[in-house]
Amino acid sequence: MSTASAYERARSEGRAALVGYLPAGYPDHDGAVDALKVMVDAGCDVIEIGLPYTDPVMDGPVIQAAAQAALEGGTRTTDVLRTVEAVAATGVPTLVMTYWNPVERYGVEKFAASLADAGGAGLITPDLTPDFAPEWIAAADEHDLDKVFLVSPSSTDERITMTTAECRGFVYATAVMGVTGARTTTSGLAGPLVERTKRLTAQPALPVGVGLGVSNGAQAADVAQFADGVIVGSAFVRTLLDHRDDRAAGLAALRTLTEDLARGVRGG
Amino acid sequence: MSLDTDTSQQTAGRWDADAHGWFGGEGAWGGRFMPEALVAALDELTAAWTEAMADKAFTDEFAAALRDYAGLPSPLYHATRLSERVGCRVLLKREDLAHTGAHKIRNVLGQALLTKRMGKKRVIAETGAGQHGVASATAAAYFGLDCTVYMGAVDTRRQALNVARMKLLGSQVVPVETGSATLKDAINEALRDWVANVDHTAYLFGTAAGPHPFPSMVRDFARGIGDEARAQCLAQYGGLPDAVAACVGGGSNAIGMFAAFLEDTDVALYGFEAGGDGVDTPRHAAPIHAGDSGVLHGARTYLMQDEDGQTIESHSISAGLDYPGVGPQHAWLAASGRGTYRPVTDTEAMDALSLLARTEGIIPAIESAHAVAGALRVAEELAAEKGPEATILVNLSGRGDKDMGTVMEYFGLGDDETTTAKGHEK
């Protein structure tokens, strides 16, 4: 299933899509695959797999800790692609979220080809904006991959129009000014950003996914009222970090959290 | 790579960045690989900087601060005993005499003045050994700005004296425990702060690297080094040097020096990277010499990376050169052949430090000692080729007070039995 059709299915059910993130390689290769499969099984509509990177400037302490552990555990770019292959085999659209340099190093065209071969849906690029992405845009178009760029509360109207014009799959609205991380209250910036994005885009059907530190079903329900997708990352990662000594308990907690969030995107 | 033969009226156009921050043509070097959340702030900064540089009130105030507060222009000094030793004329641009002990005061005064002009009240900075942090704290005190400095936890332990200086100057110092807990991680953490506080905070970036406009803006605030030195050369010696030398970490002192000579095609430009234990070992900080192109901290440049594009930790005895990337204009100068970049090992730098202390009574920063070491080799080549009238201009970017702990340990100067540095005994 494509990312767009996963969003479309959620829309047809009168709800938001649940988009779940974990980095590859944490706690190890198999542990990450098991965790992602639990998230798929318990209700995630779209999966984002993080490519662990040494200099993750947009990530808060939780995701940094897991990514660093994954790197120290020897996770390579090819391992991330193997993770994609295992998760995409479930049929759920599976994207890679990555800082730019590892893709550039692998070779942009070659990465696009390998990702497509692995069944991956596309890339989310937190430090690559469309105006600096001609090579990636060409490669993604060639291999029919999703191009998910970000918009932010600080984006000008012109940039929201420019960015959404280049997106495929969905547009990622970072609805807080700050790094990734679970927050206790949802941001007041999210609603207006989604409204602006919907108003300014030349692609009215492009779904808007919102990431702002959602960590429970009640927050997911709040965000689901105005967003097409609720993106959750740090809360999943924290669940794994909190259960690092007991994987079975970690997977059980991950299932409980996913189910809670899945109820949330259905309105609670 | 072929040189761009564009016909623009700007004579420096070939070496300068375009409106998107690309050096050497679109997609080549530099650019802006940054989160969308920071793009508006970078655009705002670009506009404010461009406008300020065209405003005489701003440039006058900047010039006055450099003159009355920082003690600039720095002298150009003919190092006669060193010259005798190598057989041609060695000129030292004495940035070590500037307030806070290095060229870095130029950049921070420029950026802090711009911050004030933009109406922001808070600045953040990253620092490795603490020199840019101390300079930032100094500029913040001078302009009455709130200042937070991010510093790797490894470095806060190694450089306790500079941490104390920053605190004394009224700044907050935040140890960064993530990643390798050194300079690159301090930059990451400062960027994270900036994303969260961008509406009221300016990021005083410490070198001519990072996303557009920092490589160009930092260069322009530092280019007084080269402009002064070029004029001093003409006035004092009636001509331009045959070669100009500087050390290169991120590359602000070097680009500040080189900028004035880019169009002087008879003047050779030499940048000296930190060779650490040697570029044939994994322990160095010489990305131009031994790295590959990639993207780090917002710019496409040469960097030290593994097969997967993960950043490799750099190593140098000099904390100020201990950075796995380099400013993108240097990458362009290297790729185009306009600049020559060579590595200088820890040992060579420390020998040069000792030599300069004994022959000239100047204790340079270990960073600057890399420039001296590399320049002495070039000077010997020049002397052989052109004779004693050949001239090399070396940017002595900073003084060595901050490095005395390292120097004492390296030369065993704290040992009871040792009375002389062992660096270059005859």
Side-chain angles (χ1 to χ4, degrees):
Chain A
M1 187 188 297
S2 73
T3 309
S5 45
Y7 271 96
E8 184 49 45
R9 188 181 67 184
R11 191 180 305 194
S12 71
E13 292 171 12
R15 63 176 179 91
L18 177 60
V19 182
Y21 166 97
L22 280 182
Y26 184 80
D28 54 28
H29 177 78
D30 293 343
V33 170
D34 289 346
L36 286 157
K37 285 182 172 170
V38 164
M39 287 161 59
V40 170
D41 192 50
C44 282
D45 300 289
V46 176
I47 290 292
E48 298 177 7
I49 295 174
L51 192 157
Y53 178 54
T54 42
D55 296 278
V57 296
M58 281 298 283
D59 285 311
V62 170
I63 292 177
Q64 282 180 52
Q68 194 169 333
L71 286 174
E72 284 163 6
T75 302
R76 305 283 311 265
T77 300
T78 48
D79 298 320
V80 177
L81 292 166
R82 283 200 296 134
T83 308
V84 169
E85 193 163 14
V87 177
T90 65
V92 164
T94 303
L95 297 106
V96 171
M97 185 156 188
T98 181
Y99 293 89
W100 186 241
N101 196 51
V103 179
E104 184 150 315
R105 184 67 170 168
Y106 191 93
V108 179
E109 160 61 29
K110 188 178 154 204
F111 192 94
S114 297
L115 182 61
D117 281 350
L123 283 190
I124 302 165
T125 52
D127 64 348
L128 186 75
T129 52
D131 41 342
F132 286 89
E135 211 182 343
W136 161 237
I137 288 170
D141 291 349
E142 171 71 25
H143 294 277
D144 198 25
L145 293 167
D146 292 330
K147 303 166 287 184
V148 179
F149 295 105
L150 281 65
V151 293
S152 142
S154 63
S155 299
T156 60
D157 287 359
E158 292 74 19
R159 288 194 63 86
I160 289 177
T161 303
M162 180 276 289
T163 301
T164 51
E166 294 295 350
C167 285
R168 182 165 49 232
F170 66 104
V171 59
Y172 190 129
T174 50
V176 286
M177 291 303 288
V179 296
T180 56
R183 288 167 170 82
T184 49
T185 54
T186 50
S187 160
L189 298 170
L193 176 60
V194 172
E195 185 278 317
R196 282 174 69 212
T197 304
K198 296 265 184 196
R199 178 163 50 81
L200 293 164
T201 182
Q203 295 195 69
L206 183 72
V208 181
V210 169
L212 44 48
V214 163
S215 61
N216 59 50
Q219 289 176 338
D222 280 350
V223 176
Q225 306 214 339
F226 56 83
D228 301 311
V230 180
I231 303 168
V232 180
S234 295
F236 287 127
V237 179
R238 172 164 295 291
T239 301
L240 289 185
L241 287 168
D242 285 348
H243 295 87
R244 66 187 85 195
D245 298 325
D246 186 345
R247 288 200 187 178
L251 293 178
L254 205 62
R255 181 176 295 278
T256 304
L257 174 63
T258 310
E259 288 167 353
D260 182 35
L261 293 162
R263 277 192 298 276
V265 298
R266 287 163 173 81
Chain B
M1 187 176 296
S2 68
L3 296 186
D4 176 15
T5 53
D6 83 357
T7 53
S8 76
Q9 292 170 335
Q10 260 196 315
T11 54
R14 175 196 299 179
W15 305 116
D16 226 331
D18 70 12
H20 303 287
W22 291 119
F23 292 93
E26 187 178 337
W29 303 102
R32 187 190 275 171
F33 295 83
M34 274 279 119
E36 171 66 18
L38 287 175
V39 170
L42 290 164
D43 279 342
E44 180 195 13
L45 181 63
T46 306
W49 161 62
T50 308
E51 198 183 87
M53 295 306 269
D55 179 354
K56 189 166 181 303
F58 178 86
T59 52
D60 282 354
E61 192 176 352
F62 181 43
L66 293 177
R67 182 187 66 228
D68 302 335
Y69 181 67
L72 298 165
S74 61
L76 184 69
Y77 166 69
H78 180 193
T80 48
R81 294 191 61 214
L82 198 60
S83 299
E84 270 173 40
R85 194 182 170 97
V86 294
C88 73
R89 188 190 280 144
V90 179
L91 304 177
L92 302 179
K93 178 62 173 166
R94 297 290 309 276
E95 290 292 295
D96 59 312
L97 297 175
H99 182 42
T100 71
H103 73 287
K104 285 183 177 289
I105 192 72
R106 297 177 185 266
N107 173 39
V108 293
L109 286 175
Q111 289 198 52
L113 182 60
L114 188 59
T115 302
K116 204 179 84 169
R117 181 185 169 98
M118 293 170 75
K120 297 192 176 187
K121 303 279 191 256
R122 176 174 182 259
V123 294
I124 55 173
E126 84 292 345
T127 197
Q131 291 309 107
H132 175 60
V134 169
S136 296
T138 301
Y142 178 80
F143 287 111
L145 300 165
D146 181 53
C147 179
T148 300
V149 178
Y150 290 93
M151 187 169 183
V154 170
D155 293 328
T156 57
R157 288 189 287 272
R158 286 196 291 212
Q159 303 287 340
L161 199 58
N162 271 341
V163 173
R165 285 194 179 102
M166 289 182 262
K167 288 180 176 169
L168 185 63
L169 289 160
S171 287
Q172 192 194 350
V173 181
V174 180
V176 177
E177 304 277 359
T178 54
S180 55
T182 59
L183 175 59
K184 76 175 181 65
D185 308 287
I187 294 175
N188 296 340
E189 204 57 31
L191 285 168
R192 293 179 188 119
D193 178 313
W194 204 29
V195 170
N197 299 295
V198 68
D199 54 332
H200 64 279
T201 296
Y203 183 5
L204 301 194
F205 200 65
T207 191
H212 181 63
F214 287 112
S216 299
M217 183 175 75
V218 173
R219 174 202 63 209
D220 282 0
F221 287 141
R223 70 169 291 152
I225 302 167
D227 288 339
E228 291 164 18
R230 191 174 184 281
Q232 288 165 326
C233 254
L234 290 170
Q236 294 172 223
Y237 304 98
L240 295 176
D242 298 285
V244 174
C247 63
V248 180
S252 68
N253 91 80
I255 205 68
M257 175 62 101
F258 292 174
F261 296 94
L262 291 173
E263 295 301 312
D264 299 319
T265 47
D266 291 339
V267 179
L269 306 177
Y270 288 93
F272 295 103
E273 299 189 289
D277 291 349
V279 290
D280 49 349
T281 77
R283 291 175 55 84
H284 62 81
I288 295 179
H289 187 85
D292 304 282
S293 94
V295 170
L296 177 65
H297 292 141
R300 181 171 291 134
T301 188
Y302 288 109
L303 64 113
M304 296 171 58
Q305 58 185 330
D306 70 12
E307 288 171 52
D308 281 357
Q310 307 287 352
T311 312
I312 295 175
E313 266 183 70
S314 55
H315 289 279
S316 169
I317 193 168
S318 153
L321 303 182
D322 198 352
Y323 178 61
V326 66
Q329 193 167 8
H330 287 295
W332 166 223
L333 293 177
S336 67
R338 178 66 187 93
T340 301
Y341 293 80
R342 296 178 180 172
V344 167
T345 63
D346 288 354
T347 307
E348 292 169 319
M350 295 307 280
D351 285 351
L353 183 144
S354 169
L355 176 68
L356 191 68
R358 284 149 180 265
T359 54
E360 297 291 344
I362 297 170
I363 300 173
I366 299 176
E367 291 80 4
S368 317
H370 285 71
V372 173
L376 292 178
R377 274 188 280 154
V378 173
E380 284 168 5
E381 294 163 21
L382 279 176
E385 185 190 337
K386 298 186 176 177
E389 287 307 301
T391 302
I392 185 163
L393 164 64
V394 186
N395 192 23
L396 205 70
S397 55
R399 61 177 173 248
D401 306 29
K402 69 183 176 63
D403 292 320
M404 285 313 295
T406 307
V407 170
M408 282 176 69
E409 190 179 334
Y410 186 87
F411 290 120
L413 299 177
D415 302 350
D416 290 345
E417 299 299 315
T418 311
T419 54
T420 56
K422 62 193 172 193
H424 66 104
E425 284 162 2
K426 290 259 173 116

